[in-house]
Amino acid sequence: SEQKIPTGHGKVILLGEHAVVYGAHAIAAPIPLAMQAMVSDSDEDGIHLIISRWGVEERLQKGKEYRYSIFNSLSLILHELGLEKENMKIEVFPYVPRAMGLGGSASLAVAIIRALAEKFKIKLSLEEISQLAYKSEQLVHGTASGIDNTLATYGKFLLFQKGNPPKIQELRVPQPIRIVIGLTWSESLTAKMVSRVRRAWENNKRLYNHIFKEIDQLVLEAAKAIENYDLEHLGQLMNINQGLLNALQVSGREIEELVEIARNNGALGAKLTGGGGGGAIIALCPENAEKVAKAIRNVGYRAYITDLK
Ligand code: MEV
């Protein structure tokens, strides 16, 4: 019989990362299949987590503080759902690279929450799933805005503003938007970058609030550009957003190199996506995605073409 495997969506942030933590709007789109999880019975004692593709295989020990955030997140989820005393095997199948700013940790949490809810017949609304994933994200990122868990849960093209609950508005995209995702060889240092921005903001709130405000304005303009399919303008706004992210010091050498390659090969806009400090860039390439992807691969990085919708 056809079985639907519980899924969490990955995401790319088109514009607004970091500023979103301070109340600015941000725009994000799902990467369709990011993470699947399955929970099955186990004759052995305790909880066994297996993520073969990431080389993770671990028996969870109660009360232990793990070095890896995955185990701490999982412990929290099991505790919140009242399942920590059950015996089970949890298998996770990731289709996104780890720590690349593509929402890996949030989609992992959402896939596991859905798989547990299904297995133990716990009814959870979308809000409850997202909220629980948010709690587990707080362990990983400290002061997360909630954009990653929201995207991982809803899997829609969204204009997002943080809040309790967050304000989300689905964007109508007239046609799929073709992008190239370029990967650096460095992990995205989301937690480190978020706290770096916080320190800078604390030292000069007026100056940084101004940058966040600027980003908020261009995100709202970009939302209109997306709904009007004005990709030239969207690209321009992405480029300016990259300049402002650079001002926040969350860019990096590899990111700047990838951005430059993408623009030199005809991308309408290119910028980092997610936490920065490493991780991934996105390049808006309605016509020349192959060329941009090839140019990125030619200098030894990885590139993927995908359509946002
Ligand atoms: C991470 O995907 C996005 C950041 O804005 C952090 C957050 O919003 O929680 C950098």
Side-chain angles (χ1 to χ4, degrees), residues 11 13 16-21 101 141 143-148 190 194 274-275:
K11 61 104 205 343
I13 297 186
E17 51 276 270
H18 287 290
V20 70
V21 175
H141 291 317
T143 46
S145 66
I147 193 167
D148 287 15
T190 302
V194 167

Side-chain angles (χ1 to χ4, degrees), residues 39 47 60 69-84 88 90 105-117 122 124 128-137 139-140:
V39 178
I47 288 151
L60 227 59
S69 52
I70 302 174
F71 305 123
N72 292 322
S73 296
L74 178 59
S75 299
L76 180 137
I77 291 166
L78 290 163
H79 176 76
E80 293 279 325
L81 295 176
L83 297 172
E84 69 253 86
M88 69 182 95
I90 303 174
S105 66
S107 62
L108 180 105
V110 167
I112 289 178
I113 292 165
R114 285 193 165 130
L116 288 168
I122 303 168
L124 294 175
E128 286 167 328
I129 293 170
S130 185
Q131 190 57 32
L132 183 49
Y134 179 67
K135 274 196 187 169
S136 95
E137 281 285 286
L139 284 181
V140 187

Side-chain angles (χ1 to χ4, degrees), residues 161-229:
Q161 193 176 27
K162 84 166 190 184
N164 188 15
K167 283 189 206 137
I168 53 178
Q169 183 196 321
E170 191 174 346
L171 293 177
R172 287 163 320 209
V173 188
Q175 279 179 64
I177 296 178
R178 179 150 291 187
I179 61 158
V180 173
I181 299 175
L183 300 184
T184 68
W185 289 106
S186 316
E187 292 205 334
S188 173
L189 308 169
T190 302
K192 190 174 160 194
M193 294 297 131
V194 167
S195 62
R196 173 183 290 183
V197 173
R198 178 153 306 263
R199 258 179 281 122
W201 174 74
E202 275 163 359
N203 286 331
N204 197 335
K205 291 193 179 164
R206 192 192 54 79
L207 189 66
Y208 281 86
N209 284 339
H210 194 72
I211 297 176
F212 300 145
K213 178 95 191 151
E214 198 77 32
I215 293 175
D216 185 51
Q217 295 296 310
L218 65 87
V219 170
L220 292 174
E221 211 171 306
K224 280 188 226 144
I226 287 167
E227 294 200 316
N228 296 329
Y229 209 70

Side-chain angles (χ1 to χ4, degrees), residues 20 51 67 70 83 97 121-122 173 216 227-228 245-246 254 269 272 292 302 304:
V20 70
I51 314 176
R67 200 161 62 83
I70 302 174
L83 297 172
K121 308 208 166 16
I122 303 168
V173 188
D216 185 51
E227 294 200 316
N228 296 329
L245 285 162
N246 200 330
E254 287 180 296
L272 70 84
V292 169
R302 292 156 294 169
Y304 304 95

